[in-house]
Amino acid sequence: MAEPMELLCWGGDWDLPSVHTDSLIVLTYAKFSGAKLAVKSIDWTWRTITASVPQLHYEGSTVTEPTQILNFLRKQRFNADYELTAKQGADTMAYIALLEEKLRPALLHTFWVDTENYANLTRPWFTSHSPFPLNFFVPGRQASLALSRILLTKAESPLLNITEVEGKIYSEAKECLNLLSHRLGNFHFFFGDTPTSLDAFVFGHIAPLIKAPLPSGQLQKHLNQLDNLCQFCNAILKNYFNASAEKRTDCSPTTIHDPVDANLQKLTQLVNKESNLIEKMDDNLRSSPQHRPHRHESKPLALAGERNSTPHS
Amino acid sequence: MSLAAEAFVSQIAAAEPWPEKATLYQPLKEDQILLSDSASSLAVQTFLRMCGLPVQVSCCANAEYMSPSGKVPFIHVGNQVVSELGPIVQFIKAKGHSLSDGLDDVQRAEMKAYMELVNNMLLTAELYIQWCDDYTATEISRPRYSSPYSWPLNHILAYQKQWEVRRKMNAIGWSGKSLEQVYEDVSQCCQALSQRLGTQPYFFNKQPTELDALVFGHLFTILTTQLTNDELAEKVKSYTNLLSFCHRIDQTYFKEDKGSRSV
């Protein structure tokens, strides 16, 4: 390989190499298959609005879309699916379709359409990672794309209102997560002991959901109860991305920190449940000054003030 | 329907047995129905036959508008109307008939995943070929879709439907695909189905499930529908176990119509 392949993607936060699902899928697959990528983040550049992310550049050719990029990497002999049987390959395609149809709409809704999450987490993050004057346009554009995708694919004609579709997409997403949990069982990865492209896809979808400090995350709460998926996610982070799970302690009480010791895990689960109850009783816990995470330090004070004064229901 | 209303309806549904006069509505068979609707309708009919539930097929020009969700086919059972395969399977399960009871959790996950694969790839490809490919849209889809109506309604409805489908393709990122890429996707999907089926009679060995009904509905319709070119049918024909699968289900469940069907 003469020169490394260059990947454009959104930047990382919350312990993740990237907060964007598709970028995360590609990054994870590259780690699994041993491909060396020169990762260039598009944060704070004009590419936030012009480029369709993720994008792989190699010797003059450009590939977009996670499935196309994975195919390209396979052709370059970076193949994490080498040992799969034909049937497992077919299962991979089927499960990826399941993720796209059932889980993706709910993820889009959680991050981009749910007003609390959008106003308190997603929009500030994307605004702070886009250059002026794009910071006014980028989040809004993503949000309207997400909304139209949900409405066009999930809303049947009498249900053109987003609130009626919400119930349906969340219940489908929870069912999807349960199905994935059943399929994973007690294994480390979906097909035995080595990670494959399906693991990359699942990780890309659920990691932001686990790690993001969402103010209103019913799907996140449901996911946190599925231990094996949380363990799966943390194991990949620890082994492939060398992320320390201990870095953040209190900005989101629902994340599980230690996946290894079962007893400790049970204890942390109890603690999480307890802190959830406390959170419900005390609205101001999350927005009190000592719990403000350090990533907000560089933000203008106006935004921080807005966060403090927004009540959480 | 909201979730609470759905749960309430299925409780009511569970109380009544399957009536004699259950009806399935679809667009007109000879003139109006298109590939994707025909496939969905055949899938539901196959599923009902597999459950052993009799149903009359009624062809109406306005079936799409009568449907509660805007999609065909839909069934009218007693005083309830349910559309699309997913809700119909749940409705019939509430009545006590189910094909997938014998599956364990992992198999059920696989079945749902494969059903999504068929919906995601095959159905979307069918819609793409019908409405986003200009030649097919002009020659076949628009004239057929609007055939029961007089001018100018036929033009308006046909273009409206085309615009709706193109918008949906745009939203999911298929509008940038070329026809060759779509055929390639269909081929990959058929390859996955073929590998999953292997040499077994049905996808989950001995017993047919809703996945078998769905796959049969789509593949049989693709094989027997005349489009502007035969490339789609050729893609499916290259997988012999899928062909024999379709043949077997056709023989088993549609025996009395044997004279009128040919693969």
Side-chain angles (χ1 to χ4, degrees):
Chain A
M1 200 171 45
E3 55 190 53
M5 298 181 268
E6 200 182 66
L7 179 73
L8 293 177
C9 61
W10 278 102
D13 203 351
W14 321 315
D15 278 346
L16 300 172
S18 173
V19 303
H20 184 227
T21 295
D22 288 341
S23 314
L24 204 51
I25 291 172
V26 177
L27 285 169
T28 322
Y29 184 81
K31 290 278 179 186
F32 289 162
S33 61
K36 296 271 180 296
L37 295 179
V39 178
K40 261 175 73 168
S41 133
I42 60 170
D43 298 2
W44 298 291
T45 67
W46 279 83
R47 288 210 185 97
T48 46
I49 207 150
T50 54
S52 97
V53 175
Q55 233 181 60
L56 188 70
H57 293 291
Y58 183 58
E59 287 177 354
S61 61
T62 305
V63 193
T64 54
E65 298 278 318
T67 13
Q68 309 284 355
I69 296 182
L70 259 57
N71 282 339
F72 182 80
L73 286 173
R74 279 191 208 110
K75 286 195 191 111
Q76 301 289 325
R77 287 180 291 132
F78 291 111
N79 193 355
D81 299 337
Y82 194 67
E83 291 167 4
L84 291 183
T85 63
K87 180 175 172 307
Q88 287 173 328
D91 283 350
T92 304
M93 273 187 77
Y95 277 103
I96 292 175
L98 185 71
L99 282 173
E100 286 290 321
E101 277 285 314
K102 300 274 181 178
L103 192 55
R104 171 89 66 155
L107 283 181
L108 287 175
H109 187 275
T110 306
F111 281 95
W112 292 100
V113 182
D114 179 286
T115 32
E116 238 185 80
N117 290 336
Y118 179 62
N120 294 331
L121 183 68
T122 326
R123 194 175 60 196
W125 195 92
F126 279 88
T127 310
S128 64
H129 284 74
S130 308
F132 180 84
L134 293 180
N135 52 354
F136 294 115
F137 304 115
V138 168
R141 188 161 156 269
Q142 301 265 30
S144 63
L145 280 175
L147 182 63
S148 70
R149 182 178 167 147
I150 296 175
L151 284 178
L152 285 174
T153 53
K154 287 291 166 183
E156 315 298 353
S157 44
L159 290 177
L160 286 176
N161 194 343
I162 187 70
T163 47
E164 288 161 338
V165 190
E166 271 172 23
K168 183 170 151 196
I169 58 180
Y170 276 110
S171 71
E172 283 187 349
K174 285 176 187 165
E175 197 195 325
C176 177
L177 289 173
N178 289 344
L179 292 175
L180 286 173
S181 185
H182 281 307
R183 177 65 181 80
L184 181 62
N186 288 325
F187 295 106
H188 288 296
F189 299 106
F190 278 90
F191 294 116
D193 282 330
T194 46
T196 57
S197 48
L198 178 60
D199 302 289
F201 267 89
V202 174
F203 178 75
H205 281 86
I206 65 178
L209 191 58
I210 291 181
K211 292 291 181 183
L214 295 165
S216 91
Q218 45 157 322
L219 198 57
Q220 189 181 49
K221 291 193 176 82
H222 183 90
L223 180 55
N224 282 329
Q225 288 168 12
L226 297 169
D227 291 340
N228 57 352
L229 288 179
C230 296
Q231 273 189 29
F232 165 79
C233 180
N234 288 325
I236 291 184
L237 275 175
K238 214 157 79 155
N239 296 329
Y240 291 93
F241 292 107
N242 297 317
S244 140
E246 308 297 328
K247 207 153 72 170
R248 290 190 200 289
T249 50
D250 52 21
C251 72
S252 46
T254 52
T255 49
I256 296 178
H257 292 298
D258 189 344
V260 180
D261 188 333
N263 282 335
L264 186 57
Q265 202 186 11
K266 282 202 179 74
L267 281 173
T268 49
Q269 279 238 330
L270 281 171
V271 166
N272 290 340
K273 282 195 178 105
E274 210 178 20
S275 56
N276 278 342
L277 284 169
I278 297 175
E279 191 190 30
K280 280 191 183 105
M281 291 191 300
D282 182 0
D283 286 344
N284 294 322
L285 181 68
R286 206 187 275 290
S287 48
S288 54
Q290 68 265 32
H291 286 278
R292 190 184 316 158
H294 69 260
R295 66 183 164 88
H296 284 291
E297 275 166 21
S298 55
K299 277 206 183 133
L301 285 172
L303 266 168
E306 181 198 330
R307 232 182 106 85
N308 272 338
S309 60
T310 312
H312 292 277
S313 54
Chain B
M1 264 201 287
S2 71
L3 289 175
E6 261 182 39
F8 185 59
V9 161
S10 37
Q11 271 196 324
I12 298 183
E16 301 165 356
W18 189 261
E20 294 262 334
K21 285 194 328 183
T23 329
L24 179 141
Y25 289 90
Q26 65 172 37
L28 300 173
K29 199 157 158 180
E30 292 304 313
D31 303 314
Q32 190 192 20
I33 199 168
L34 291 174
L35 177 61
S36 50
D37 295 337
S38 181
S40 310
S41 173
L42 185 59
V44 172
Q45 286 177 48
T46 315
F47 177 71
L48 290 172
R49 283 185 192 228
M50 284 176 176
C51 292
L53 299 170
V55 71
Q56 289 168 339
V57 177
S58 168
C59 298
C60 302
N62 59 343
E64 207 179 356
Y65 301 105
M66 285 201 279
S67 158
S69 70
K71 301 228 167 79
V72 289
F74 66 94
I75 56 174
H76 178 208
V77 176
N79 60 353
Q80 272 127 36
V81 182
V82 193
S83 66
E84 290 190 77
L85 186 64
I88 290 177
V89 169
Q90 278 182 340
F91 176 76
I92 289 182
K93 195 165 170 182
K95 288 223 178 268
H97 305 270
S98 171
L99 294 179
S100 53
D101 275 343
L103 302 178
D104 64 26
D105 287 325
V106 174
Q107 286 179 316
R108 192 163 291 133
E110 262 190 51
M111 182 185 79
K112 294 238 156 88
Y114 275 97
M115 284 177 78
E116 287 310 318
L117 179 67
V118 173
N119 278 332
N120 208 358
M121 289 259 179
L122 279 184
L123 183 61
T124 320
E126 284 165 8
L127 282 172
Y128 181 94
I129 291 170
Q130 279 169 206
W131 293 105
C132 297
D133 173 34
D134 286 322
Y135 187 59
T136 315
T138 320
E139 293 292 317
I140 298 182
S141 313
R142 287 205 298 266
R144 276 184 78 95
Y145 183 75
S146 57
S147 57
Y149 309 110
S150 59
W151 190 88
L153 191 57
N154 52 358
H155 281 302
I156 298 174
L157 288 179
Y159 278 105
Q160 185 186 46
K161 178 79 175 167
Q162 181 171 326
W163 180 74
E164 250 179 61
V165 174
R166 287 197 181 182
R167 242 178 94 198
K168 183 173 162 177
M169 292 293 141
N170 222 355
I172 56 176
W174 274 59
S175 53
K177 290 197 183 188
S178 69
L179 205 53
E180 279 68 38
Q181 279 176 322
V182 172
Y183 285 137
E184 187 54 42
D185 283 343
V186 169
S187 195
Q188 280 189 1
C189 179
C190 290
Q191 189 183 32
L193 290 171
S194 174
Q195 280 163 353
R196 178 66 182 83
L197 184 62
T199 49
Q200 299 169 39
Y202 299 109
F203 278 94
F204 289 97
N205 209 10
K206 296 287 169 26
Q207 295 301 322
T209 56
E210 45 264 32
L211 174 62
D212 301 282
L214 183 65
V215 172
F216 171 73
H218 280 275
L219 293 183
F220 193 83
T221 318
I222 290 177
L223 290 167
T224 52
T225 305
Q226 192 70 3
L227 285 176
T228 50
N229 60 11
D230 287 331
E231 220 174 303
L232 197 57
E234 291 303 317
K235 296 280 177 197
V236 177
K237 277 187 192 157
S238 58
Y239 297 99
T240 46
N241 62 346
L242 292 180
L243 276 183
S244 51
F245 170 78
C246 290
H247 205 64
R248 192 181 320 120
I249 293 196
D250 188 27
Q251 294 289 327
T252 319
Y253 294 101
F254 291 92
K255 275 199 292 288
E256 60 273 21
D257 298 341
K258 207 165 93 169
S260 58
R261 287 181 194 271
S262 57
V263 175

